[in-house]
Amino acid sequence: MSARKNKRPGRSGPLDRVLGERGNRGGGLDRLVENLGEGFSRLREERARAAGNKPRNRNAQFNLRNRLILVGGALGLCSLALLGRALDLQVISNDFYRQQGDARSLREIPIPTSRGMITDRNGEPLAVSTPVESIWGNPKELAKSPERLPELAKALGVAPDELTRKLSQRSGKEFMYLKRRINPDEARKILAYKIPGVFSQREFRRFYPQGEAMAHVLGFTNIDDRGQEGLELAFDHELRGKPGTKRVIRDGAGRIVENVDLVQSAEPGKDITLTLDRRIQYLTYRELRRALIDTGASSASAVVLDIETGEVLAMANLPTYNPNMLGAGNRDTHRNRAITDVVEPGSTMKPITVAAALNAGTVKPTTLVNTSPGWMPNGRYRITDTHNNGVLTVTGVITKSSNIGAAKLALPLPNDYFYKFIRNFGYGSKPGSGFPGESSGLLAPPQRWSGTTKATMAYGYGLSATPMQIAIAYAAMANGGKMIQPTFVKGQSNEAHQVLDPVVAGEIMHMMQTVTEPGGTAKQAAILGYHVAGKTGTTRKFSATGGYSKKYVSLFAGVVPVEKPRFSMVVVVSEPDPTKRGYYGGSVSGPVFRNVMDGALRLMDVAPDDIETWLAVQAAAEAKRLKLNGGKPTGPVVPAATAAAHAVASPPPIAASSVAQAAAHGGAR
């Protein structure tokens, strides 16, 4: 009875029966799944009957167990595939994808380094590198903000159309320079506009404190700070150092967001100390400039050497240029004429010709040479002097600069001997200073000589040399016949080799001393208190159309002081105006030598070797002052011995302005 009451008719269904039968059929998962499947099937059939629908075909019913197994298997396979792919990406093939990722964000950028400083022999800076900024942009990023381009063009100081054109040409790039090597303040003003894709980077720019005075010796660097000419080019490898490299991560806008690694440290360039003296260099440059103004010449060059060491103390050329403001000017002004340009040495060759005759033993300093009547035949031409000097000694040939006398001394010498003798003095070969573009000049071998060649070579025609070569030859004669290869680097010692007998060298020096004394051709080169040995030279310029033109080259080569030679200097002035100061070497180039050496001797504390002349000049000046003052002394009387001792300790006074300007000069104006 109670069983009937508890039983709810119509509420018993397949699911209840399945659940009720679970204990009889077991509690396993498989049995449960099967029972659930049958229960759901029966439940759907009953609902279908209740709705008046036909029951479905039991064969069409899916098997839930198999479906779950299939889905679980598929999910398992997918999981295994994902796990395998992750393993491949993270472990097996990670190099490729790491490279791809790095290529989009990781960059190696250079670390700029400063170029080595160039100083003169006293440590004064001649070339220094100063930090500057370069503005660069990302064309891809800039293309996203075309409305900002006019603003950027104005900040850069360029036309908007030009900037747009350059950006379009590099539209596929991520880097291009917009403005290079500018003042950091100017760079900050450009960056202050905050234009997307515009950045700056540190670079270095070369600065030359001496400006035009040192331009031809130092040369200059290009926009990438690489040496292009002069000593900047010769020592570029040592000066430029080695830039470093660092690895960084950039964002999409090109900004550095992280410094990852230092790949290579930057090594600054090495400093170089030159043999040049800034003060003597300025004196040389100033006097050359004055000579060009006074003579109306087209160009000029000068070289000053230290006789004992072969060091180049000064080398100047005009016209010149400012290496701090290079532009599209005349490239011809960049040429270092003292090294690259050759001239026929003219009468500066005569001391070497006389030395060859003395060395061969064919003559002595007192041997007489007849130069009458002032000319002599030489093939189709004839050799002439400026006037008839009559009979001269060998010394007089140099004093009076006789072409006939030099030719008569050379003609008896064997051709091979004369050729080798001249070549031993450096003519026909490069000086070997290491300066770029050195010229070897022209010295033809005897096989190419004609019947007139040796005679004309004796007085400086038919061969050519640079001002540097002539200065080296004169330094060798002043150094007891020992030639030393020139150098621009302080502390670099080159070995000397004997090219002339020391006795003959001493004789030649005293012969050349007569050139600057009364009766010589270069009295304008004399320096009070010092014996000067030198030789003038005046040659006609060879014409490109053949033969010689009516334009002249004026030369003076000299050594000072004679007793203990210290400096060798050569001055070459091209195409002076004959209507101004003439065109002879003594009147055009001699004063340049005197003024430069006058200051150099004082600056380098070289003791005088001609005290007698200095005392005589002082006495004459004092007598003149007494006469003007009515016989009354103008100051305390100084004994002659005391005055002489003071003169040895302190060289004779020169124009105060010359030394003061040279010592205080900080840059050419």
Side-chain angles (χ1 to χ4, degrees):
M1 183 75 173
S2 61
R4 288 192 187 100
K5 289 179 181 180
N6 290 334
K7 185 177 180 179
R8 300 173 62 184
R11 306 293 282 176
S12 175
L15 183 59
D16 294 333
R17 289 193 295 270
V18 170
L19 292 175
E21 295 173 356
R22 184 177 59 180
N24 298 328
R25 297 185 179 180
L29 178 61
D30 292 343
R31 181 63 56 84
L32 175 61
V33 171
E34 183 178 355
N35 292 339
L36 284 173
E38 293 177 356
F40 279 114
S41 298
R42 292 172 183 172
L43 180 60
R44 282 195 297 272
E45 290 177 1
E46 290 180 359
R47 288 181 177 178
R49 290 191 190 98
N53 297 327
K54 294 183 178 180
R56 293 183 180 180
N57 189 355
R58 293 183 63 91
N59 294 332
Q61 295 178 3
F62 63 88
N63 188 324
L64 183 60
R65 178 175 178 276
N66 293 338
R67 176 63 61 85
L68 291 176
I69 292 174
L70 181 62
V71 172
L75 293 175
L77 290 175
C78 291
S79 300
L80 289 175
L82 292 174
L83 181 62
R85 184 59 174 165
L87 182 66
D88 178 65
L89 294 176
Q90 298 295 326
V91 180
I92 300 175
S93 302
N94 64 340
D95 290 342
F96 172 77
Y97 294 100
R98 184 181 292 113
Q99 292 173 1
Q100 292 297 310
D102 292 345
R104 288 159 175 79
S105 61
L106 197 64
R107 296 286 186 273
E108 286 189 1
I109 61 175
I111 303 174
T113 182
S114 62
R115 193 173 176 86
M117 183 168 61
I118 300 178
T119 64
D120 79 341
R121 64 187 304 110
N122 301 312
E124 295 290 337
L126 303 179
V128 295
S129 290
T130 57
V132 293
E133 295 289 330
S134 287
I135 302 297
W136 66 276
N138 184 339
K140 291 183 177 179
E141 189 72 16
L142 288 169
K144 299 177 182 178
S145 306
E147 71 282 356
R148 303 294 302 274
L149 294 184
E151 187 179 4
L152 176 60
K154 181 179 179 181
L156 295 173
V158 299
D161 293 342
E162 180 182 355
L163 177 62
T164 304
R165 178 178 56 82
K166 290 182 177 180
L167 289 173
S168 62
Q169 290 174 348
R170 297 168 177 82
S171 58
K173 306 293 184 180
E174 295 182 352
F175 179 92
M176 66 171 288
Y177 282 113
L178 298 174
K179 197 169 187 179
R180 296 196 65 181
R181 300 203 305 179
I182 60 176
N183 189 286
D185 292 337
E186 184 181 353
R188 282 192 289 270
K189 291 179 181 178
I190 297 174
L191 294 176
Y193 286 91
K194 296 183 179 181
I195 300 175
V198 178
F199 312 95
S200 71
Q201 69 180 31
R202 172 66 59 87
E203 289 189 314
F204 291 90
R205 181 180 181 179
R206 208 65 162 162
F207 176 66
Y208 303 94
Q210 306 304 311
E212 296 178 351
M214 287 277 188
H216 293 103
V217 184
L218 298 178
F220 56 89
T221 60
N222 63 7
I223 197 168
D224 294 316
D225 218 20
R226 297 291 182 91
Q228 298 298 293
E229 290 185 11
L231 296 179
E232 289 277 26
L233 174 60
F235 300 107
D236 183 62
H237 182 72
E238 293 85 353
L239 288 168
R240 74 185 183 201
K242 296 181 180 178
T245 307
K246 64 179 179 180
R247 190 175 289 113
V248 301
I249 294 178
R250 292 185 184 273
D251 61 10
R255 297 183 294 266
I256 297 176
V257 296
E258 182 182 354
N259 291 314
V260 178
D261 187 22
L262 178 64
V263 179
Q264 182 179 354
S265 300
E267 297 181 15
K270 297 179 181 178
D271 295 340
I272 293 181
T273 302
L274 301 182
T275 59
L276 298 172
D277 189 298
R278 175 181 60 91
R279 304 164 299 175
I280 300 177
Q281 177 74 21
Y282 173 67
L283 283 174
T284 306
Y285 166 75
R286 189 194 67 181
E287 294 304 322
L288 281 182
R289 184 175 59 181
R290 180 179 297 172
L292 254 66
I293 296 173
D294 293 345
T295 65
S298 63
S299 63
S301 301
V303 178
V304 180
L305 297 180
D306 187 298
I307 290 173
E308 293 185 358
T309 63
E311 295 178 339
V312 181
L313 299 176
M315 179 181 288
N317 300 273
L318 285 172
T320 184
Y321 65 97
N322 188 347
N324 296 310
M325 299 178 64
L326 290 173
N330 186 5
R331 294 283 298 178
D332 188 57
T333 62
H334 294 180
R335 194 169 68 251
N336 188 347
R337 301 170 188 270
I339 288 284
T340 62
D341 286 18
V342 296
V343 296
E344 288 182 299
S347 294
T348 62
M349 187 68 190
K350 290 172 184 174
I352 297 178
T353 299
V354 172
L358 291 172
N359 196 67
T362 58
V363 296
K364 295 180 180 180
T366 56
T367 301
L368 299 178
V369 181
N370 187 4
T371 65
S372 295
W375 64 273
M376 64 176 285
N378 187 31
R380 293 185 303 159
Y381 308 97
R382 67 180 189 175
I383 301 171
T384 61
D385 285 338
T386 54
H387 56 275
N388 186 3
N389 292 304
V391 178
L392 299 172
T393 62
V394 172
T395 299
V397 170
I398 293 180
T399 306
K400 298 297 183 181
S401 192
S402 172
N403 295 339
I404 297 172
K408 286 188 173 182
L409 293 176
L411 286 174
L413 301 176
N415 290 352
D416 288 340
Y417 167 79
F418 191 50
Y419 167 77
K420 291 179 181 178
F421 190 87
I422 298 173
R423 192 169 181 85
N424 285 341
F425 276 88
Y427 292 88
S429 59
K430 293 183 178 181
S433 66
F435 197 93
E438 279 185 333
S439 175
S440 60
L442 177 64
L443 179 62
Q447 296 79 5
R448 294 170 52 189
W449 291 2
S450 65
T452 63
T453 300
K454 186 164 62 173
T456 56
M457 285 175 60
Y459 55 90
Y461 282 90
L463 75 162
S464 63
T466 63
M468 170 71 95
Q469 288 175 305
I470 300 173
I472 294 170
Y474 273 67
M477 288 187 286
N479 197 30
K482 293 182 292 185
M483 177 174 284
I484 302 178
Q485 197 174 53
T487 179
F488 286 93
V489 180
K490 188 178 181 181
Q492 178 180 327
S493 57
N494 294 322
E495 187 177 353
H497 59 281
Q498 200 77 32
V499 297
L500 181 64
D501 183 273
V503 176
V504 175
E507 293 174 340
I508 291 294
M509 287 292 294
H510 287 95
M511 290 181 183
M512 290 193 296
Q513 181 180 328
T514 65
V515 173
T516 62
E517 295 176 345
T521 58
K523 297 183 292 294
Q524 299 92 328
I527 301 174
L528 181 61
Y530 296 89
H531 290 301
V532 177
K535 187 68 191 75
T536 58
T538 307
T539 63
R540 282 191 172 185
K541 294 194 72 173
F542 191 80
S543 174
T545 59
Y548 289 90
S549 67
K550 293 183 179 181
K551 297 179 180 179
Y552 294 88
V553 177
S554 305
L555 305 93
F556 183 83
V559 173
V560 66
V562 172
E563 299 305 324
K564 292 182 179 180
R566 181 67 186 275
F567 305 123
S568 168
M569 181 176 183
V570 171
V571 181
V572 178
V573 179
S574 182
E575 301 181 13
D577 186 350
T579 63
K580 291 191 173 182
R581 198 192 281 178
Y583 55 85
Y584 289 110
S587 59
V588 174
S589 299
V592 177
F593 174 90
R594 178 195 63 226
N595 294 336
V596 174
M597 288 293 96
D598 206 4
L601 291 165
R602 177 97 172 174
L603 291 168
M604 304 297 277
D605 294 326
V606 179
D609 63 344
D610 188 14
I611 301 298
E612 294 79 8
T613 302
W614 182 76
L615 290 175
V617 171
Q618 294 296 321
E622 181 62 24
K624 185 177 181 180
R625 286 193 295 268
L626 285 172
K627 184 177 180 180
L628 294 174
N629 201 35
K632 296 180 181 180
T634 57
V637 178
V638 180
T642 304
H646 175 73
V648 172
S650 178
I654 63 173
S657 60
S658 297
V659 177
Q661 288 183 35
H665 178 63
R669 302 195 222 3

